[in-house]
Amino acid sequence: MTESNQPAQQPEEPHSVPTSAGQTDSGAREQGPPSPDSGRPDPSQGGSGQAGAHHAPAGLGDPPASFTPAQPQVPSPDAGQAQLGGSGPGRQFPPPGSGQPHPLGLGATTAQFGAEQPSGPFAGPHTGPQPTGQYYLPPGYQPSVPPRPKGRGKVVAGVAALVLLVGGLSGGLGGYLGYNFANDSSAVSSLDAPRAASQTGNAPAGSVEDVANRLLPSVVQIQVVTRTGAGEGSGFVISSNGQIVTNNHVIEGAATGGDIKVVFQDGRTASAKILGRDPSSDIAVIQADGISGAPVVQLGNSGDLKIGQGVVAIGSPFELSGTVTSGIVSSLNRPVSAGSDNRNSQATVLNAIQTDAAINPGNSGGPLVNMQGQVVGINSAIYSPSSANGQAGSVGIGFSIPMDQARRTIDEIVKTGKPKQTVLGVKVESTEQGAKISEITAGGAAEKAGLKAGDVITKFGDRRIDESDTLVAAVRSKAPGDKVTITLSDNRTVEATLDGVEVG
C-alpha cells in the first residue's frame, strides 16, 4: 500500500497521544469513541476517508489519561494540520530546535512531546529526553499534538468556518461574474445578426412559387347549399365575365334546386348558376353573376405529359381556400370511376392522370397545372383506404381529368349547353383476355364496323385492353367522329368511326 492509504506503525513513545484519540472528520465534528482500527476511515465520518489521516482535535475536552505533561502545553499555530500525503522514506528534515521551519508547516513539533521546551507564560522545566543529530519521519507519519483547552477549539473552528464561508461566497460570486462575462463576450446570438434583406426579385420561372402566383387569382372556392345539405369544392375561371369550370359532382346537388356561391381569391363573392354539365365525364361549367375583368387560366395540352413530370394542384381542401400542393405525374391513362358512389358503374369512368400532389375533399374541380402554369387536368377523385369515420384523405394517389378530353366537353357546354359523350355502341364485361362484348347497340359504331356479341377486344388503337373499364376510358378519351382500329382476341382487326350522344 502507499503512504496515502496505510499509516506506518509508529514506535511507542512515552506520553504520546494515541492516534485514534478524539479523531475528527474534515468538518471538525466531534466524534464518539475511537475506532478499534485507527488505520481505516470511520464510515460515519464525512471527511476525505484517507486511511490513517486525521486532524488535530478541536474542542475535545480533557486529554487522555496516558498523557501527563508537567506543564500545560499550548500547540503551535500550525499544529493540527493534516499531513499532505506524508514524507517519503529517507526524506530528511531539519532537527528539532534548529530554528529552521519544518517543511510540513509543523512548527517546533517533533515526533514526541517534550522534545523542546515551550516558550511563553506556560514555560516550565524540561523533563523529556533531548534527541540529537538528524532524524527521519516514517512514511505516513502524523505528529501527535496536545488537546486544545475546552471551548477554544469551537470558537476557532467557528471563525475558520466563517472565513471559509466568506471566501466561498466571494469565490462563487467571482466565478459567476466571470462565467457570465465570458458568455457575454463570446456567445453568438442570431438576434444580434442584421435582419436579412427582403426578397424583391420575381419567383424563378417554372418554380412552384411562380405557378402559384400566376394561378391563384383564377382559382375559386364553390359553396353549394341544397334542401338536403351543403357541400363545397373548387373551380377555375376560363372567361373574364365569370365562366368557371368545375366537377359535375360538386354542383349536381343544385341542379334540381339549390344555391351556388363563388368565393374569389381576393375575397369577392358572387352567386352562380349552372350553364351545363356532363355526368359521364364529371365536368360542369357555371356562370358567376355580375363579374367582369376576372383573371383567366391558360389551358395546356395533356397529351404532352410525361410520367415523372412536375405538376401543381390548387384548390380548397376541407374549406381551406387557395391551398397549393405539388408533386409529379405518377401515371397516365388510368381508368377511374369518379362522381358516382357505384364503383361497378361504367357511367363515369375516366381516362385519368394519376398524381401524388396532395388532393383532398374540397379539391374537386380545381386545376392540375404543369410547371409552365398551364392547366392540364381537372382534379376529380382520390384513392383512399377505408376509414372508421368514413372521411377520405390524401394518401398520394389522386386523379385528374385530362384537359384534352375535358376541353372538348367544356367548349360544347359553353357553346350549346349540350355536351356529347363519345360512344362505341357496345356493352362489355371483363375477361382474362380483355373486354368481351355482351351487347351490341343497333345502328351503332360497333355494329357498323362488323363487331358481334361474344367478340373480345384486346387493343383499341395502340392501347392494350385488359378489362372493360380500360375500353370505356379509352373510348371516352376520343371525340365523336374519330376513327380507331380495334384488335380482337382472334387477331382480327376492324376499323370503327365513333359516335356521339348528347347528355345532360
Side-chain angles (χ1 to χ4, degrees):
M1 294 187 180
T2 64
E3 59 187 0
S4 63
N5 55 22
Q6 179 65 33
Q9 183 68 32
Q10 300 184 26
E12 291 186 4
E13 299 287 348
H15 311 301
S16 62
V17 179
T19 57
S20 61
Q23 186 174 353
T24 64
D25 64 6
S26 61
R29 296 197 303 268
E30 296 186 4
Q31 302 298 317
S35 170
D37 183 1
S38 61
R40 296 185 180 179
D42 188 344
S44 66
Q45 298 184 20
S48 62
Q50 183 177 352
H54 59 275
H55 300 269
L60 300 180
D62 296 330
S66 61
F67 180 65
T68 56
Q71 299 290 337
Q73 301 292 315
V74 178
S76 64
D78 293 328
Q81 292 186 359
Q83 180 178 350
L84 302 178
S87 60
R91 183 174 178 182
Q92 186 171 335
F93 295 93
S98 63
Q100 299 182 18
H102 195 284
L104 300 180
L106 300 178
T109 306
T110 62
Q112 66 182 68
F113 288 99
E116 284 191 12
Q117 190 74 13
S119 60
F122 298 99
H126 173 61
T127 59
Q130 179 70 28
T132 61
Q134 295 182 343
Y135 69 102
Y136 299 90
L137 293 177
Y141 171 77
Q142 290 289 334
S144 299
V145 296
R148 298 179 184 272
K150 291 185 179 181
R152 177 177 177 83
K154 293 185 179 180
V155 175
V156 174
V159 173
L162 177 60
V163 172
L164 291 175
L165 176 60
V166 174
L169 289 177
S170 300
L173 180 60
Y176 174 77
L177 294 177
Y179 174 80
N180 282 340
F181 177 78
N183 279 350
D184 291 341
S185 61
S186 62
V188 177
S189 173
S190 298
L191 298 176
D192 296 333
R195 186 184 299 271
S198 300
Q199 297 182 3
T200 57
N202 294 328
S207 65
V208 175
E209 181 184 358
D210 177 51
V211 172
N213 289 340
R214 292 166 62 180
L215 269 294
L216 276 171
S218 302
V219 180
V220 301
Q221 182 183 34
I222 299 174
Q223 300 173 352
V224 178
V225 179
T226 67
R227 292 187 297 270
T228 59
E232 55 92 29
S234 305
F236 54 92
V237 180
I238 60 169
S239 174
S240 60
N241 65 352
Q243 290 179 350
I244 297 168
V245 174
T246 187
N247 284 142
N248 174 70
H249 73 261
V250 171
I251 53 86
E252 65 183 342
T256 56
D259 296 326
I260 302 174
K261 183 172 74 172
V262 176
V263 181
F264 290 84
Q265 187 67 24
D266 60 6
R268 290 182 299 167
T269 61
S271 58
K273 60 184 179 182
I274 299 173
L275 288 181
R277 60 194 187 95
D278 179 8
S280 65
S281 63
D282 198 25
I283 295 173
V285 181
I286 61 176
Q287 174 70 61
D289 297 333
I291 297 298
S292 63
V296 301
V297 300
Q298 180 183 0
L299 302 180
N301 183 1
S302 59
D304 293 338
L305 289 176
K306 302 291 188 297
I307 295 175
Q309 180 177 336
V311 287
V312 174
I314 305 176
S316 304
F318 300 107
E319 301 184 18
L320 300 173
S321 62
T323 295
V324 177
T325 58
S326 64
I328 62 169
V329 174
S330 303
S331 186
L332 296 169
N333 301 318
R334 186 74 79 184
V336 174
S337 178
S340 174
D341 292 333
N342 184 2
R343 297 295 180 182
N344 296 322
S345 173
Q346 295 177 341
T348 58
V349 173
L350 308 175
N351 191 50
I353 302 166
Q354 181 181 331
T355 179
D356 68 347
I359 298 175
N360 286 286
N363 272 114
S364 292
L368 185 71
V369 187
N370 62 21
M371 304 313 292
Q372 288 72 47
Q374 301 166 338
V375 178
V376 293
I378 304 171
N379 300 323
S380 182
I382 61 173
Y383 169 78
S384 183
S386 300
S387 59
N389 59 9
Q391 178 64 67
S394 174
V395 293
I397 304 177
F399 303 99
S400 300
I401 305 168
M403 183 49 59
D404 290 354
Q405 177 181 336
R407 186 167 189 162
R408 175 181 57 82
T409 302
I410 295 168
D411 186 60
E412 290 174 348
I413 291 174
V414 170
K415 291 179 178 177
T416 67
K418 298 290 184 179
K420 289 184 178 181
Q421 182 186 84
T422 304
V423 296
L424 178 60
V426 296
K427 287 187 178 180
V428 292
E429 59 187 27
S430 297
T431 67
E432 292 182 358
Q433 294 177 301
K436 180 180 178 180
I437 299 175
S438 59
E439 186 178 332
I440 295 284
T441 301
E447 186 181 59
K448 292 177 182 178
L451 295 174
K452 296 179 174 61
D455 288 340
V456 178
I457 299 175
T458 59
K459 290 184 70 176
F460 185 84
D462 295 332
R463 184 171 179 177
R464 177 176 173 270
I465 304 301
D466 57 355
E467 61 176 359
S468 59
D469 280 358
T470 305
L471 177 62
V472 173
V475 170
R476 290 178 178 169
S477 67
K478 301 294 184 177
D482 287 349
K483 293 182 179 182
V484 63
T485 299
I486 299 174
T487 303
L488 304 177
S489 60
D490 58 4
N491 292 326
R492 287 185 300 128
T493 60
V494 298
E495 187 173 284
T497 301
L498 302 177
D499 290 334
V501 295
E502 289 186 354
V503 295

